[in-house]
Amino acid sequence: MNFLSEGFLQGFDLLFSGDEEVWSAVFETLKLSSLSMLVSLLIGIPAGFALGHFSFPGRRAVRLLVDTLLSIPTVVVGLFVYAFISNRGPLGSFELLFTTSGMAIGQTILALPIIMALTASAVENTDRRLRFTLLTLGARGRRLLLSTLWEARHQILLAAVTAYGRVTAEVGVSMMLGGNIKWHTRTITTAITLETGKGNFATGIALGVLLLSLSFVLNWSVSFLRGRSAA
Amino acid sequence: MTIDARIPVYQLNDIVCGYEGKPVLRVESLSLYDDGPVAFVGHNGSGKSTLLNLLAFLLPPISGELMFQGATAGESGRGSLDATMLLQDPYLLRRSVFENVAYGLKARGMKDVRSRVVEALEMVGLSPDFARRLWYQLSGGEARRVALASRLALRTKVLLLDEPTANVDEESAQLIAQVILDARRMWGALPLIATHDLQWLDSVTQRRIFMRRGRIERQPA
């Protein structure tokens, strides 16, 4: 087990000495996840709100589809998006394969159902007295909708944090659509996969520690938000 | 708003009201004039809350005619901003006390929000410092007072209160009675109260409409 303890020591050394390769993967992960989260939130929150708040034909079918997509394997998303953005695919002319934008499309498809489903649940589960309260206070139209959304803000943040955790931890989409290109599309998870395969535990552990730290911060946030929304 | 005393504030004709199409309230004829607090009295399930929801324009009638100040209510939102209601189990928005009390004022585009909030809090016995507290820092009794303050701040013509003394102590019940009378005295509000607390009601009004099984059983001549 010496290689493991040595790997930890070397890993921390790489982290704190500012190793460029390690930090390149970290920044690529943050750039990619921020991009995919931005798009997911912009589409997912209004769509999830509509799904949870309004009644329309086919609502149950849409809900079922969104719930099913919650557990879609990352490699399946990678496969479908690959088929679309590869040279032979319908979006091939945009040259998105092995780019951050291409990976962001895949990660958006992963995050979107989480944002939509959890936002819809948050809106559906708002207190039954909320609507009457807002109406008796004089809220109408857009204010009524936005205030309802605001009341569910802690659960929606929870949805965002959960989705962020999913996109930062996935490997399949990043590997298939990004190609794990050094200095370019290499993320924390694809770098860990590669370095471990090469027997280079130190870099893998350094990145693993960073990913764990990120996961800890996300879980702490989730725990805090759960407490706040229950209050 | 200016009220013509000769015209009833509310006029109900052959009203049938209920939930999901199922009638739970039938009122053949009821006129409520602007001459002091009125109480709807009856046991649980007598239709008091449904009637209050109707009068607060929260629940449209299944059939019949609901008039407000001589015009059909609901048309162009007629009357809907002239009435506010304190729910039986009040809900506070997930915001500060100030934001809760200020919400309705902002929704109506009113000015002097800060002074109105302070005034409303003082009416229910809460100091202005209380405005900074968040919703989860309040006891049940404090939350009810804040909810009441958020309605009082609006100074609406009609103030509907659904079981305002449910689950409150004697001191708070007396404060609520005083606040109802103050609202009448200060801006001429028409308080409409649903309750089965007859002893408490003695300190507020003798004008009582008795309800039973979704119908008005007896009302003042």
Side-chain angles (χ1 to χ4, degrees):
Chain A
M1 293 296 283
N2 267 355
F3 73 96
L4 203 60
S5 53
E6 281 170 18
F8 264 105
L9 289 173
Q10 288 174 24
F12 279 110
D13 187 44
L14 283 171
L15 272 181
F16 294 111
S17 66
D19 182 82
E20 285 188 21
E21 197 175 330
V22 168
W23 286 102
S24 161
V26 172
F27 289 130
E28 176 61 18
T29 301
L30 292 176
K31 191 170 82 174
L32 172 63
S33 53
S34 302
L35 185 60
S36 54
M37 283 304 299
L38 182 69
V39 179
S40 306
L41 290 171
L42 284 174
I43 301 171
I45 291 176
F49 181 82
L51 195 56
H53 190 75
F54 298 109
S55 291
F56 53 87
R59 179 187 173 201
R60 288 182 69 175
V62 175
R63 190 64 204 263
L64 186 64
L65 177 69
V66 171
D67 287 347
T68 305
L69 291 175
L70 282 174
S71 54
I72 189 169
T74 57
V75 287
V76 173
V77 174
L79 179 69
F80 276 105
V81 178
Y82 188 99
F84 271 84
I85 66 174
S86 66
N87 282 341
R88 287 181 295 170
L91 302 175
S93 59
F94 292 102
E95 298 183 342
L96 293 167
L97 194 60
F98 305 135
T99 64
T100 304
S101 302
M103 294 157 81
I105 293 173
Q107 286 201 349
T108 301
I109 293 171
L110 277 183
L112 196 55
I114 298 173
I115 305 281
M116 278 183 69
L118 296 186
T119 300
S121 293
V123 173
E124 282 166 357
N125 294 328
T126 49
D127 196 294
R128 62 183 171 77
R129 298 164 296 169
L130 173 63
R131 185 176 159 77
F132 272 10
T133 298
L134 292 173
L135 285 171
T136 58
L137 290 174
R140 301 287 183 273
R142 194 160 145 255
R143 183 183 288 270
L144 187 64
L145 295 180
L146 290 177
S147 296
T148 305
L149 192 63
W150 186 247
E151 286 298 294
R153 65 192 179 280
H154 294 124
Q155 290 94 326
I156 292 170
L157 267 174
L158 193 67
V161 170
T162 306
Y164 195 77
R166 172 116 156 117
V167 297
T168 50
E170 68 83 24
V171 185
V173 166
S174 300
M175 192 68 93
M176 293 174 78
L177 302 177
N180 197 18
I181 303 166
K182 197 174 176 180
W183 312 116
H184 185 48
T185 59
R186 183 165 295 172
T187 63
I188 295 178
T189 52
T190 59
I192 291 174
T193 310
L194 179 78
E195 299 298 340
T196 307
K198 284 169 24 186
N200 186 4
F201 288 105
T203 310
I205 287 170
L207 291 164
V209 166
L210 267 176
L211 203 56
L212 268 176
S213 307
L214 188 62
S215 175
F216 172 77
V217 172
L218 287 175
N219 277 302
W220 181 84
S221 309
V222 167
S223 165
F224 175 77
L225 291 171
R226 279 217 177 102
R228 178 54 60 90
S229 63
Chain B
M1 77 177 284
T2 310
I3 295 281
D4 186 337
R6 293 164 300 180
I7 301 172
V9 178
Y10 288 102
Q11 171 92 47
L12 284 70
N13 299 318
D14 296 320
I15 285 280
V16 176
C17 195
Y19 304 93
E20 294 171 356
K22 190 181 169 189
V24 295
L25 174 75
R26 291 172 196 276
V27 181
E28 286 175 16
S29 178
L30 175 66
S31 299
L32 296 169
Y33 287 88
D34 184 25
D35 47 9
V38 178
F40 300 101
V41 181
H43 295 295
N44 291 340
S46 59
K48 305 188 298 292
S49 293
T50 305
L51 180 56
L52 251 59
N53 286 337
L54 175 80
L55 298 178
F57 310 104
L58 296 173
L59 199 62
I62 295 169
S63 63
E65 188 179 36
L66 172 63
M67 309 272 281
F68 183 82
Q69 270 291 285
T72 303
E75 285 177 3
S76 310
R78 173 87 188 183
S80 66
L81 291 178
D82 295 317
T84 190
M85 178 163 130
L86 182 70
L87 305 181
Q88 186 172 350
D89 182 15
Y91 174 86
L92 281 193
L93 303 175
R94 270 51 183 148
R95 304 176 188 210
S96 68
V97 168
F98 179 86
E99 285 295 322
N100 265 279
V101 183
Y103 184 91
L105 296 169
K106 290 178 181 173
R108 286 168 160 79
M110 288 181 174
K111 293 176 180 170
D112 306 327
V113 171
R114 187 163 294 276
S115 60
R116 278 178 174 248
V117 169
V118 169
E119 192 178 34
L121 286 174
E122 284 174 343
M123 275 187 84
V124 297
L126 297 174
S127 73
D129 292 344
F130 215 79
R132 283 195 293 272
R133 291 214 200 168
L134 294 169
W135 78 97
Y136 59 83
Q137 296 172 322
L138 307 177
S139 69
E142 289 167 342
R144 182 175 280 268
R145 286 188 192 201
V146 171
L148 179 57
S150 67
R151 273 65 176 184
L152 293 171
L154 303 175
R155 295 194 166 211
T156 51
K157 179 63 213 171
V158 182
L159 177 64
L160 300 121
L161 302 110
D162 193 359
E163 300 285 2
T165 58
N167 304 315
V168 301
D169 56 29
E170 178 63 26
E171 189 186 343
S172 298
Q174 286 313 310
L175 180 123
I176 292 167
Q178 188 56 51
V179 162
I180 292 169
L181 296 175
D182 286 346
R184 177 68 190 167
R185 179 176 52 81
M186 289 167 69
W187 65 87
L190 171 60
L192 302 176
I193 309 150
T195 185
H196 56 255
D197 188 346
L198 296 179
Q199 197 180 352
W200 170 81
L201 200 55
D202 283 338
S203 58
V204 180
T205 184
Q206 293 301 319
R207 298 176 67 215
R208 299 166 188 199
I209 294 174
F210 290 88
M211 298 187 67
R212 193 162 179 263
R213 293 181 183 171
R215 288 177 185 275
I216 289 174
E217 201 175 49
R218 184 155 44 98
Q219 58 177 302

